[in-house]
Amino acid sequence: MKSWVVILVVVSVIALGFLFYSFRLKDIEIPKYRVVKQLGDVEIREYPSLILAQTSLNKSDYDAEGSNGFRTVAGYIFGGNQSQQKIAMTAPVIMKMGDSASMSFVMPSEYEMNDLPIPSSNRVKLVQEEPKLLAVIRFGGYSNSEKIKEYGDKLMAAIKANNLEHKGELLYMGYNAPWDVVYRRKSPLYVDTLSR
């Protein structure tokens, strides 16, 4: 008899988790993009201009720097600015890999650069990104440095195989918090593309 109660409680908690997550996902703004071309597992996407709250990282290692970078930029949107203004959470969080490693949050589309409050921390900068054409590969499950490297290598191989030119450094985009167990969105890796 007790085992049925435990099973019922577990199933109820899981069902409530699914329900909560589906409502929560609807409230989080995600930048719009247009798929220009599909090349097997790789998409070529066109993104509009975006405003980022960004912090520099000591190195481009997701496992070593991801949490610290996230906390720094999250502080800005949770009121760590001169107006103590809270700014809506968006997805994804962007980690730029390579020599100029950084972590960024995309600002909600309702804001222009002049509308955003000045960061309290000198480690956070507001940056206007120009529209970009990006090559994208996605992977599921939880992210770590090893998986990012594996899929980064696959993305670069696909770019080379399709005779695409690229510039810039690899970008990791994370859509889920670590505590999101169900409905995890696939995490993409991006690199700027110039032309075919």
Side-chain angles (χ1 to χ4, degrees), residues 159-171:
I159 287 170
K160 185 176 180 181
N162 286 282
N163 298 314
L164 295 171
E165 294 180 36
H166 71 89
K167 64 176 182 177
E169 297 168 310
L170 195 66
L171 304 172

Side-chain angles (χ1 to χ4, degrees), residues 13-189:
V13 168
I14 291 170
L16 287 172
F18 279 114
L19 186 62
F20 171 76
Y21 189 80
S22 66
F23 283 118
R24 192 177 137 244
L25 190 59
K26 290 178 187 174
D27 294 338
I28 296 178
E29 182 180 349
I30 296 171
K32 293 177 176 38
Y33 61 85
R34 182 173 73 88
V35 176
V36 176
K37 186 175 263 190
Q38 187 79 40
L39 302 168
D41 292 340
V42 173
E43 288 180 343
I44 305 300
R45 295 180 184 175
E46 185 177 58
Y47 277 83
S49 176
L50 300 172
I51 300 173
L52 307 177
Q54 187 173 85
T55 188
S56 295
L57 302 174
N58 293 325
K59 55 185 173 179
S60 64
D61 186 293
Y62 177 84
D63 295 339
E65 294 287 326
S67 293
N68 290 334
F70 181 89
R71 279 194 298 273
T72 301
V73 287
Y76 171 74
I77 69 167
F78 295 146
N81 54 68
Q82 291 185 4
S83 304
Q84 297 182 336
Q85 176 183 342
K86 292 190 180 359
I87 298 168
M89 174 72 85
T90 63
V93 176
I94 303 169
M95 185 171 178
K96 184 178 186 183
M97 316 307 268
D99 294 336
S100 58
S102 64
M103 179 74 74
S104 306
F105 277 5
V106 178
M107 295 295 95
S109 59
E110 68 193 71
Y111 291 99
E112 297 292 329
M113 185 67 93
N114 294 336
D115 301 332
L116 289 162
I118 297 168
S120 298
S121 169
N122 62 1
R123 293 195 60 218
V124 177
K125 307 284 184 234
L126 297 176
V127 178
Q128 179 89 47
E129 289 283 316
E130 294 302 315
K132 292 186 185 300
L133 196 62
L134 301 174
V136 182
I137 191 167
R138 297 185 298 165
F139 60 89
Y142 284 89
S143 300
N144 58 44
S145 296
E146 185 178 323
K147 193 180 277 189
I148 289 171
K149 181 177 181 341
E150 174 190 349
Y151 281 88
D153 290 345
K154 287 181 182 181
L155 177 59
M156 293 304 182
I159 287 170
K160 185 176 180 181
N162 286 282
N163 298 314
L164 295 171
E165 294 180 36
H166 71 89
K167 64 176 182 177
E169 297 168 310
L170 195 66
L171 304 172
Y172 162 77
M173 295 192 179
Y175 286 85
N176 296 97
W179 54 85
D180 291 337
V181 178
V182 295
Y183 288 134
R184 290 189 68 82
R185 183 177 173 142
K186 286 189 173 181
S187 299
L189 289 172

